[in-house]
Amino acid sequence: MLDRTERPHAWLKRIYRPLAPLITQIALGEIRPEDGPTDCGDFTSSVSCPAAVVGMLHHLDPRPGERILEIGTGSGYNSALLAHRIGAAALVTVDIDAALAARAESKLAQLGMTPTVVTGDGEQGYEQAAPFDGILSTAAVREIPQAWLHQVRPGA
């Protein structure tokens, strides 16, 4: 365990490794970063490792003006990258955790980005804004939900 207040340079070096995810929420937010290090392993949100983010975006290959549905807003990191690429108005991002969605929406707004941020079950997609040109999910699913298949354009 590495405390960012005690060793900030080592902490920054560790969190920006290309193959390491970054835990952003523990125990549904009950354990806050300002509470310091914890032994709790109940990780409830994270930023995918940079290599995975690059891989997902590469395979999605979003183009300016395309409409994208993102499942798993989390910190809003992928949302910011997508909004920068396609335009915030063309992005809908869904997270089941209202606190995460609100925090991401606020952070995105600070960057001047205002995608549609939805609190809801990502497996249901977001039919109100369909059809989409692509879907990116950072949330795990056992199989592709039917709602997603019905909410994308043919060939997406």
Side-chain angles (χ1 to χ4, degrees):
M1 186 148 339
L2 187 61
D3 185 337
R4 70 178 173 187
T5 59
E6 292 177 12
R7 298 179 51 207
H9 180 72
W11 180 81
L12 282 171
K13 189 173 178 180
R14 185 173 292 173
I15 67 167
Y16 285 106
R17 292 180 299 172
L19 298 176
L22 176 63
I23 306 304
T24 58
Q25 186 186 66
I26 301 173
L28 297 173
E30 291 178 17
I31 298 174
R32 304 168 306 159
E34 56 269 24
D35 295 335
T38 180
D39 292 329
C40 179
D42 185 12
F43 305 138
T44 51
S45 188
S46 66
V47 173
S48 302
C49 71
V53 170
V54 168
M56 287 186 293
L57 292 173
H58 171 77
H59 289 291
L60 180 64
D61 193 23
R63 306 292 173 133
E66 287 186 335
R67 297 186 42 72
I68 302 295
L69 172 63
E70 177 193 27
I71 307 299
T73 311
S75 69
Y77 179 68
N78 278 348
S79 305
L81 295 173
L82 283 166
H84 178 75
R85 176 74 172 156
I86 65 172
L91 175 64
V92 174
T93 182
V94 180
D95 203 290
I96 199 164
D97 185 316
L100 288 177
R103 186 169 56 219
E105 186 172 30
S106 172
K107 295 292 183 185
L108 289 163
Q110 289 174 18
L111 296 171
M113 299 176 173
T114 55
T116 300
V117 179
V118 177
T119 298
D121 182 351
E123 284 193 18
Q124 302 305 311
Y126 193 67
E127 189 172 6
Q128 297 90 316
F132 297 99
D133 297 296
I135 297 177
L136 182 134
S137 177
T138 58
V141 294
R142 293 187 188 274
E143 57 186 48
I144 298 173
Q146 287 297 309
W148 298 0
L149 298 174
H150 295 299
Q151 293 176 28
V152 293
R153 297 184 198 286

